[in-house]
Structures are given as structure tokens and as C-alpha cells.
Amino acid sequence: MAYDDLLENPVIQKYLHELVGPTGMPVAAAPPEGEVTDEELAEELNLELNAVRRALFILYENDLASYRRLRDEDSGWLTYLWTFEYENIPEQLEEEMHRLLDALVERREYELENEFYLCEQDSIRFEFGEAMEYGFECPNCGEQLVDMSNARLVDAMDERIDSLRDELHRHPEQEADA
């Protein structure tokens, strides 16, 4: 099977699972070498054709598969021949890590720049402005809102940000592209 070494990596397995979900995972985890039709995959993997097509389309949208169309001259029917292109996965994971890092940094800034209040009864968090509008009472239950420290959340974000930066810096050739 093509891409055996790549598919043994648990990070890549998780990435593919996040993309195609549990129903599409048999398709993503068993890429044949060369071209294959969706019907051949469905039969080989004993899956419904729609599940195979859904997984293939998701892989295509994420630049992990491509197709070419052939028209049957007699019937006029189109046949799609699919090719898996998993050599793009490491770069896509890198891009995903950069997006996550950027989002975490932005969220951390939001957490640091705002003061929050909590309704302990309903577990609803309010920004200071919202809490003030409601007179520091929960609009759902009327309970008094209490000052909420988000220090543990910010600390957890700091750890995750540091971890992502460390991981990204382990691959300096990829970091230079960012």
C-alpha cells in the first residue's frame, strides 16, 4: 500500500480522522497506489458508495486527493479516477499548527484584555460590559455575578502556545516558509 510509513504516524492518523470522520476513515487509511474509482473503493472496503464519495471529496478539498474524469463514449456516463496525494500532509499539518498558534495567541490577548464575571448557577461567563449592563445579575436566573479569574485558562494557553512554538521550531526549514 502507498504511504505506509506516513499512515503509521498517530498524528497523521488523527489529522485524517478529523478531516473525514469515522465513516470516511477506512477510505483515508487505505489509499491505493495509482488511480481508483469510487465504486472500486466502496466494493473493496465494503462501504456505501456515498460514504466513499464524501470522504474522497473531503480529501480533494484538502489537497490530499485529485481526480480525472473519463466519459464513456457509449453511455455518456462519467467515471472519476481518484489519486491520493498524501505527500502534502506534513505541510498541511504545519499550516494547521500555525493557524492554531495564531488563534491561541489572539484568544490569549482577548482573555488578558478583558475582565469576566460568572453566574455560578448557570455557568455563564460575561465580559465586564455585559455584566454591567445586567447590573451584575444573571439575566437567566437572577443570581449575583461573581468576579472570575481566568489565570488558569491563560496559563494553559501559555503552555500550549509554548508547546506549539517548540514543535514548529523543530522544523526550521518549514518555519522559514511561514
Side-chain angles (χ1 to χ4, degrees):
M1 183 192 321
Y3 309 112
D4 281 341
D5 292 341
L6 193 67
L7 291 171
E8 288 176 10
N9 184 325
V11 173
I12 290 174
Q13 291 173 7
K14 176 134 177 75
Y15 173 68
L16 290 171
H17 188 272
E18 291 294 319
L19 285 177
V20 299
T23 308
M25 196 57 193
V27 176
E33 293 192 41
E35 295 179 318
V36 65
T37 66
D38 48 4
E39 291 93 353
E40 290 168 343
L41 273 176
E43 186 176 320
E44 181 182 324
L45 298 171
N46 197 28
L47 294 172
E48 290 185 23
L49 186 56
N50 282 342
V52 170
R53 287 179 174 161
R54 192 174 313 109
L56 288 169
F57 186 70
I58 291 168
L59 293 171
Y60 170 76
E61 284 182 320
N62 287 277
D63 296 325
L64 298 176
S66 62
Y67 65 85
R68 74 184 171 97
R69 288 187 301 216
L70 294 177
R71 184 177 297 276
D72 184 286
E73 304 230 354
D74 297 328
S75 68
W77 286 77
L78 288 174
T79 299
Y80 290 83
L81 296 171
W82 291 89
T83 305
F84 289 77
E85 298 174 351
Y86 282 7
E87 56 275 356
N88 300 333
I89 289 178
E91 291 79 21
Q92 289 184 316
L93 282 173
E94 178 88 8
E95 290 171 18
E96 192 68 31
M97 288 172 69
H98 279 287
R99 280 192 294 274
L100 178 58
L101 177 59
D102 292 345
L104 274 171
V105 167
E106 186 176 317
R107 178 62 188 266
R108 180 185 181 278
E109 289 174 21
Y110 167 78
E111 292 294 330
L112 289 173
E113 292 171 357
N114 289 283
E115 187 176 333
F116 298 97
Y117 288 82
L118 177 69
C119 171
E120 293 178 327
Q121 176 74 27
D122 291 340
S123 299
I124 301 174
R125 185 172 88 152
F126 298 89
E127 289 181 14
F128 175 79
E130 292 174 300
M132 200 166 87
E133 281 179 33
Y134 296 123
F136 296 93
E137 288 183 359
C138 178
N140 285 352
C141 68
E143 284 289 315
Q144 189 72 31
L145 300 179
V146 296
D147 185 40
M148 179 187 168
S149 171
N150 60 356
R152 286 180 45 206
L153 177 61
V154 171
D155 288 345
M157 288 178 169
D158 286 341
E159 287 178 26
R160 186 68 177 123
I161 287 168
D162 289 345
S163 170
L164 280 169
R165 284 183 174 146
D166 288 347
E167 182 65 29
L168 288 168
H169 283 74
R170 285 189 199 134
H171 309 286
E173 70 281 354
Q174 294 168 345
E175 182 71 11
D177 295 339

